[in-house]
């Protein structure tokens, strides 16, 4: 990891308008959860805000925005060429970028899920959702960093992945839940609270999350190593 690249990536993340959207999504989640909790006498009324909005939608959207902010703009404006001209390993660059994206994802997205879960009812279920969000957020940040290194349209590709694939695997096609990043996190969270689903084998969920995380960061570095700025990019 390179401290200078981490600093530059952090400046890129904090200095763009999408950071405010990244921050606004969890705040909106928390606000809606507070509203539902205050208006309903049903102690379970606010939990769908966590399980159907916060975890499967807000968390990956935060990861998309964070990962695309630390790498995508440099590809778009051509400044990536200046960065790649420095005698720094491409994989060190990728790891440094991922650390910033991961920090933003777990610091904003995962904590947003935890806050909403605490407001919804707290207890072991809130802790379980937080653990699930940590696992999924870590994997999402690496996966979307790889997308940002692969295509200029990483945000669009990430949205398609989240809305179509994760939505189908998580909500409708239970037979392929073992291929869903979100479901891997839920399976780990299930170890804390049985109120969460048990969609996949635990060793598979842990190993798959590690493989995608490490593989995503490695792919981003490999893509940077072979990067050539063309008219299409």
């Amino acid at each position: 990891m390179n401290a200078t690249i981490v600093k530059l990536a952090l400046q890129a993340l904090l200095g763009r308008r999408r950071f405010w959207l990244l921050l606004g999504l969890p705040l909106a989640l928390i606000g809606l959860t507070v509203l539902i909790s205050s208006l309903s006498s049903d102690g379970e009324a606010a939990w769908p805000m966590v399980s159907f909005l916060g975890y499967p939608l807000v968390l990956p959207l935060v990861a998309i925005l964070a990962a695309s902010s630390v790498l995508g703009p440099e590809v778009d404006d051509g400044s990536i060429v200046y960065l790649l001209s420095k005698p720094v390993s491409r994989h060190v660059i990728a790891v440094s970028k991922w650390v910033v994206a991961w920090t933003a994802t777990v610091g904003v997205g995962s904590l947003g899920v935890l806050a909403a879960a605490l407001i919804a009812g707290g207890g072991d279920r809130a802790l379980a959702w937080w653990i699930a969000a940590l696992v999924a957020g870590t994997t999402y940040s690496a996966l979307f960093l790889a997308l940002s290194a692969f295509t200029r349209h990483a945000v669009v590709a990430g949205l398609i992945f989240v809305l179509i694939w994760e939505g189908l695997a998580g909500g409708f096609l239970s037979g392929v839940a073992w291929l869903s990043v979100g479901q891997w996190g839920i399976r780990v969270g299930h170890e804390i609270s049985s109120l969460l689903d048990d969609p996949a084998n635990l060793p598979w969920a842990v190993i798959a999350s590690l493989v995608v995380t490490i593989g995503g960061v490695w792919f981003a570095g490999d893509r940077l190593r072979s990067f050539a700025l063309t008219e299409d990019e």
Side-chain angles (χ1 to χ4, degrees):
M1 188 172 66
N2 185 288
T4 300
I5 296 175
V6 168
K7 181 180 179 180
L8 292 172
L10 186 59
Q11 290 175 345
L13 175 65
L14 298 177
R16 293 185 174 273
R17 292 179 181 177
R18 69 180 67 184
F19 172 75
W20 297 108
L21 178 59
L22 180 151
L23 190 61
L25 288 170
L27 290 177
L29 169 67
I30 293 170
L32 288 171
T33 307
V34 169
L35 180 63
I36 293 175
S37 295
S38 62
L39 294 178
S40 176
S41 59
D42 183 359
E44 296 290 311
W47 279 110
M49 297 303 298
V50 178
S51 58
F52 294 111
L53 180 62
Y55 181 80
L57 187 59
V58 170
L59 176 65
L61 287 180
V62 168
I64 290 172
L65 292 170
S68 62
S69 293
V70 299
L71 184 58
E74 292 178 324
V75 175
D76 292 341
D77 62 21
S79 61
I80 189 69
V81 174
Y82 173 78
L83 179 61
L84 296 179
S85 68
K86 301 301 180 182
V88 181
S89 166
R90 303 302 186 258
H91 287 97
V92 169
I93 294 174
V95 170
S96 302
K97 297 283 189 179
W98 173 73
V99 166
V100 175
W102 173 79
T103 301
T105 301
V106 301
V108 177
S110 299
L111 286 181
V113 171
L114 173 62
L118 290 173
I119 295 167
D124 288 345
R125 186 160 27 160
L127 177 61
W129 277 116
W130 183 48
I131 296 298
L134 288 175
V135 173
T138 298
T139 308
Y140 280 134
S141 61
L143 178 62
F144 297 140
L145 181 70
L147 275 178
S148 295
F150 180 72
T151 175
R152 289 180 57 187
H153 309 293
V155 173
V156 175
L159 286 173
I160 292 173
F161 173 80
V162 170
L163 296 177
I164 296 180
W165 177 252
E166 290 287 90
L168 286 175
F172 300 102
L173 303 178
S174 58
V176 295
W178 59 282
L179 293 175
S180 165
V181 173
Q183 296 301 312
W184 299 339
I186 288 176
R187 180 59 186 87
V188 177
H190 175 79
E191 294 299 300
I192 306 297
S193 172
S194 60
L195 291 174
L196 271 66
D197 293 335
D198 184 9
N201 178 271
L202 179 61
W204 166 260
V206 173
I207 293 172
S209 297
L210 287 173
V211 168
V212 173
T213 299
I214 296 172
V217 177
W218 178 88
F219 177 84
D222 190 66
R223 172 65 177 168
L224 291 176
R225 188 174 61 182
S226 60
F227 185 86
L229 196 64
T230 67
E231 293 181 358
D232 291 334
E233 293 174 319

